[in-house]
Amino acid sequence: MLMHSYPASCRQLVRSAINTQRSQTFKAFYATIQSLRKAPQVETDDVPPDNDFILSILRANASSRDAKPYFASFSPRPRPSPTPVLPQSDESISNEVRAEPSPLTEQPKVSPLIASIIDPVIRRTALVKIQGPFSQVQLDSISRGMVYLEKLGLVSVIVVENDDIQRGEQDSRSVIVEDTMRLVSCLEKHGARARPVLGAVVRLGPRPGDPEMEQDFIIPEAHTFPSDLVPIRSALQSGEIPVIPPFALDSFCRSVRIDANDVIGALARGMVEAGSQNSSFPVAALADASIDASGEVDLTPLRLMIINREGGVPSYARNGFPHLLINLDSESKHIRETFHESWRHTHKTALSNLALAKTCLSHMPPTSSAVMVSHRSQSSLIGNLITNRPAVSSSLPHALLQGNRKLTPHTPTLIRRGLPIRVVRTVDDIDRSKMNALLEQSFKRSLEEVDFYDRLKRTLDFVIIAGDYAGAAIVTNEPSADLSQPISYLDKFAVLPNHQGDGTVDFLWVALHDESYGLGHPFSANPNGGKEGQGEGRDLVWRSRANNPVNKWYFERSSGHVRMGDWVLFWCDAERRLKQEQNRRGRAGLSYIEDWEEGRLASWSDVVQKIPSSWKK
């Protein structure tokens, strides 16, 4: 009965996960044959209960829209219909040399039905940094998280690090190898198959032949070639999780310990290149069921996961609690500049891990993301995998975030490559062709271009633009006879369909907050090309059709709303003024209509209802 109270997408994920879990017996059989070793006998009491895994999926609370990226990446693709082969005539056969197939080279064919049971999901990879040292209990928690992710189709390529053992220390190499073997044992104890890859898979120094040019990310002091990835590919094909110590081959072919960030940075580039070289694999694999049974995995990393003892990147806007979502393109420099000195002792590796995320995401696909998480929040990795969004939306009202019980020192930080954010204040600075394309694709209607821009020339306050018109927020000043100043009106809020779900919506709304109703607060001083927190916040007003499916999202971010027939009027109160009123009244709170609120709803409704439509009929 419990599952019926969750969305259909969650129930579908649970069924898919259960089917995947049942398939582990078949996968283990193939893995045992290939690795020539006997699977360890695991006592029933040592296996984590299925309920724990299922509840972790249900706690993700993924809507159908949230889960679409997961199903797009991991669901089996439709098989192409086989090309019919016409039988040859007896005459043509008699003219050919008849050769019996060699028993050593002949590959057994597996029926599509059996192949779908063995491998019910498309398996993808994640680069994982286990940044210890960890106790046995902590390793158990981390290992369960890795096992859960594997059941959902995400196979980890793990690099082990030990912050307490510096390079060059006596026995540092043996300690790292011991940590690697401990993690392998722990993974196998929890039902996974793991393989220690103790030989170096990267080479020290920059890749030969790379041009010398400045990059906006840190270039790893290591590189890898496709032949170096053979041990990783072999482990993945055998259904095993590769666990790698941070070793590299130097110019004398010696295996030396290097920084784990350099190993992961080199692997990110190398695995993406190897994955792109095999980009034709899914089509070929689907045409031949025997390839499905071989356990082939797409090497292109879908996620970067950094599991440590510190948690995410602390935020100046959240009193040291972690950032929820980071736009690397526009925020990384500002985060470094606002990083408190005390955090360099409590979160010693936060900035270096942020730099690692920027390095890896610069090579990984645009839809990829990185997550920094404490070992205490391993279950949150499932929610991140399914939804690819932060545990708590960064665009929620600041007061709601401050009082949110989900926001703790161990809340994960989700990191996206992101887009540059800029603010323009004149119509002449708008690229009309790109803006038209954005609005029409987002709203699926034809713009009345002449009237729309003529109105903006009279009323425009500012436009926030994300990237190359991947998203935009247009705010106007609407005159009101009843109010002392114009109404700050959100005329358009649009994001291209192919950027919905990649963080652009939240990035854009946070910039809108900082430029309008959030002005005057220190946490609004983000570098978005606008006022950077300087000035006085204003109430922001907008309208939406009553049947707009986005209204649920607006309800969560607005201070209030009023229904106006076929429309809903939303508004966000200026946060600094609300804070001042709260301080003035003490603990009594804002429980009645203040003087400055008198008549504003009627004035807003009157003005907003008279704003003409921007669309062709």
Side-chain angles (χ1 to χ4, degrees), residues 182-210:
R182 281 181 62 217
L183 180 57
V184 168
S185 299
C186 199
L187 287 167
E188 295 203 334
K189 182 180 77 172
H190 289 282
R193 294 183 57 80
R195 180 189 298 186
V197 182
L198 301 181
V201 294
V202 301
R203 301 167 187 257
L204 199 60
R207 178 182 292 186
D210 275 357

Side-chain angles (χ1 to χ4, degrees), residues 60 62 65-70 73-74 302-305 324-325 361 365-371 380-391 414-416 500-504 506:
R65 181 170 182 166
D66 292 333
K68 277 183 179 179
Y70 171 80
S73 297
F74 293 92
L302 194 68
R303 294 283 192 278
L304 169 67
M305 298 179 178
L324 299 172
L325 177 64
L361 292 177
T367 54
S368 299
S369 62
V371 60
S380 63
L381 294 175
I382 288 181
N384 169 255
L385 172 63
I386 296 171
T387 66
N388 204 13
R389 57 179 172 83
L414 182 66
I415 305 169
R416 307 297 295 257
Q500 293 174 8
D502 67 357
T504 301
D506 278 333

